[in-house]
Amino acid sequence: RLRRHMDLQVLETKVLDLISAGEPLAKIYALITSAVDRMLPGTRSSIVLIKSSFMKLASAPGFPPEFGATVDGMPVGEQFGSCGAAAARKSPVIVTDVFTDPIWAIHHDVATRFDIRACWSVPVLGSAGDVRAAFGMYYKHVQAPADDELVFVERIVQFLRVAIERTEQHDQLKRSEERFRLVARVTSDVVWECDLKTDRIWYSEGLRTLFGHDPATDANLQTASGSAIYIHPDDLDRVVIHMQEALADKQFWQVKYRYKRKDGRYAHVVNQAYLVRDANQRPVRLIGSVKDVTEQTFLEEQLQRFQRLEAVGQMTGGLAHDFNNSLTVVLGSAERLQDEIPEDSPLRHHVDMILKAAMHGA
């Protein structure tokens, strides 16, 4: 028992090492079944995966390849052997004699062909209570498990549960990271990710393409605080305030500012980010993108200038029209006076001056 306990500890360490190294599940399954067969002489172990209520053999080193062809595609259910029944019941199934137990009634030919007389199976349940796999132990003779053997099997099932769930989580994370990197590579914007605990920041290739900065050689771009050196000094305080407000109570933030290029010129950029929080709602990461809007900003400023000029034009056009109406009255009245006042009258000079001034105004 002491030897078995020590072997289990060694096996657990090896399984965890393989999980941490990102090794495929097939390698972990083979390690577990081979170790069990070695630790329990006379035992042939197997791992059967449960996919959409059907079984698929993952590892059974003590059986020939034909055994997998027999198990693969077999449905989960009471009449489909120990593993099928254990998966259906979500509880251990101990069959001490396959030729007398009803769950093996239609599989006597399989038992004979592969020399199976006893089979114990324990389901591997996921964290959500779903059946992920079944761990089976086969014997060539009628055999019932001792108490310590049941404890042993439960330990093995725990290894399997951890291996399946952690490996799947690791694979999902790798796929997510790969998608993130691919999106960052194909987008024309700068994609970035910041660890708020360490202040470390990562930039996509777009930073070098758009602004000329290379994060691999620029020490300032290794941290978020160091990266702030390229923000225009007149905009920096406003950007910091936006960031502090976002960390306090927001999940998304956006800010526009001027960003210094490698050649010293400033670009107008829009920086927006999504804030990732932990289970306690503490901010832990920022994932965002920087978009160069220099040309768009220039066009907007040009449009605003054109709109101002248009407004001035409309205003002065209206003023000129109104002023011209007033001058028309002045000119008309002055011309009538000119017709009525004799040329030798001292008032004629004043009328002529009125006409001249009105014509000049027009």
Side-chain angles (χ1 to χ4, degrees):
R1 289 180 180 179
L2 178 60
R3 166 72 66 180
R4 187 180 298 169
H5 177 72
M6 294 174 63
D7 288 343
L8 276 174
Q9 288 184 324
V10 172
L11 177 60
E12 182 178 20
T13 301
K14 289 181 178 179
V15 169
L16 293 176
D17 287 344
L18 291 180
I19 294 172
S20 301
E23 295 290 345
L25 276 172
K27 187 173 182 177
I28 299 175
Y29 295 152
L31 170 68
I32 292 175
T33 50
S34 298
V36 171
D37 291 359
R38 185 177 61 257
M39 285 186 278
L40 299 176
T43 300
R44 291 175 293 171
S45 62
S46 73
I47 296 172
V48 173
L49 304 181
I50 309 299
K51 301 285 186 181
S52 302
S53 298
F54 288 91
M55 292 185 282
K56 182 175 178 58
L57 186 67
S59 181
F63 288 93
E66 293 79 14
F67 184 68
T70 303
V71 174
D72 290 352
M74 191 176 292
V76 169
E78 289 288 336
Q79 290 79 39
F80 297 99
S82 302
C83 290
R89 298 177 189 178
K90 295 186 178 183
S91 61
V93 171
I94 307 299
V95 176
T96 58
D97 187 347
V98 299
F99 291 109
T100 60
D101 197 297
I103 66 175
W104 277 83
I106 62 174
H107 301 292
H108 288 174
D109 59 328
V110 175
T112 301
R113 192 178 353 145
F114 296 106
D115 198 12
I116 299 171
R117 191 64 188 269
C119 179
W120 318 334
S121 183
V122 179
V124 180
L125 303 181
S127 55
D130 54 323
V131 182
R132 310 303 299 275
F135 179 72
M137 299 172 68
Y138 299 84
Y139 298 91
K140 297 181 179 181
H141 307 284
V142 174
Q143 188 164 335
D147 291 341
D148 63 324
E149 289 175 326
L150 291 176
V151 173
F152 174 87
V153 174
E154 184 56 37
R155 286 284 301 278
I156 296 298
V157 168
Q158 290 176 4
F159 296 167
L160 274 174
R161 182 185 300 114
V162 171
I164 292 172
E165 292 194 341
R166 290 194 184 178
T167 302
E168 288 183 351
Q169 291 170 359
H170 183 72
D171 290 344
Q172 289 174 358
L173 180 61
K174 285 179 63 177
R175 287 194 295 268
S176 297
E177 289 178 345
E178 182 63 21
R179 284 194 296 268
F180 180 76
R181 299 291 181 252
L182 289 175
V183 169
R185 184 171 296 177
V186 300
T187 183
S188 58
D189 299 339
V190 179
V191 179
W192 57 273
E193 181 179 10
C194 178
D195 186 331
L196 296 175
K197 293 182 179 180
T198 63
D199 196 40
R200 302 289 295 178
I201 194 167
W202 171 88
Y203 291 100
S204 69
E205 184 66 20
L207 188 68
R208 186 168 61 86
T209 304
L210 289 180
F211 306 113
H213 298 298
D214 188 355
T217 58
D218 190 338
N220 291 316
L221 298 172
Q222 301 302 311
T223 62
S225 55
S227 300
I229 193 174
Y230 295 115
I231 299 176
H232 195 288
D234 294 342
D235 298 337
L236 182 57
D237 289 343
R238 178 170 53 84
V239 173
V240 171
I241 291 173
H242 271 79
M243 175 67 74
Q244 291 172 342
E245 291 175 348
L247 293 176
D249 59 0
K250 295 182 180 179
Q251 192 169 15
F252 178 82
W253 68 277
Q254 184 182 78
V255 61
K256 185 176 180 179
Y257 56 87
R258 288 163 290 179
Y259 186 80
K260 192 175 184 180
R261 301 179 190 269
K262 182 70 173 180
D263 60 10
R265 295 180 297 121
Y266 278 94
H268 291 269
V269 302
V270 172
N271 195 348
Q272 55 188 12
Y274 180 82
L275 185 61
V276 180
R277 299 179 182 274
D278 61 15
N280 297 318
Q281 293 303 304
R282 291 189 296 262
V284 293
R285 282 193 305 150
L286 275 170
I287 301 175
S289 66
V290 178
K291 185 177 184 65
D292 186 351
V293 295
T294 304
E295 183 176 356
Q296 177 184 337
T297 301
F298 173 75
L299 293 175
E300 289 174 351
E301 291 175 350
Q302 288 287 90
L303 178 60
Q304 290 173 359
R305 281 197 289 270
F306 292 148
Q307 289 173 338
R308 287 196 296 270
L309 287 172
E310 183 181 13
V312 170
Q314 291 174 349
M315 180 183 68
T316 54
L319 288 173
H321 180 74
D322 292 341
F323 186 56
N324 190 60
N325 290 340
S326 300
L327 289 177
T328 301
V329 175
V330 174
L331 283 168
S333 300
E335 287 174 351
R336 290 188 61 185
L337 285 174
Q338 191 181 44
D339 292 340
E340 295 178 4
I341 298 175
E343 292 186 6
D344 58 352
S345 171
L347 298 176
R348 183 61 180 258
H349 173 67
H350 296 291
V351 174
D352 291 341
M353 290 180 61
I354 292 172
L355 281 169
K356 186 178 181 180
M359 293 296 292
H360 182 71

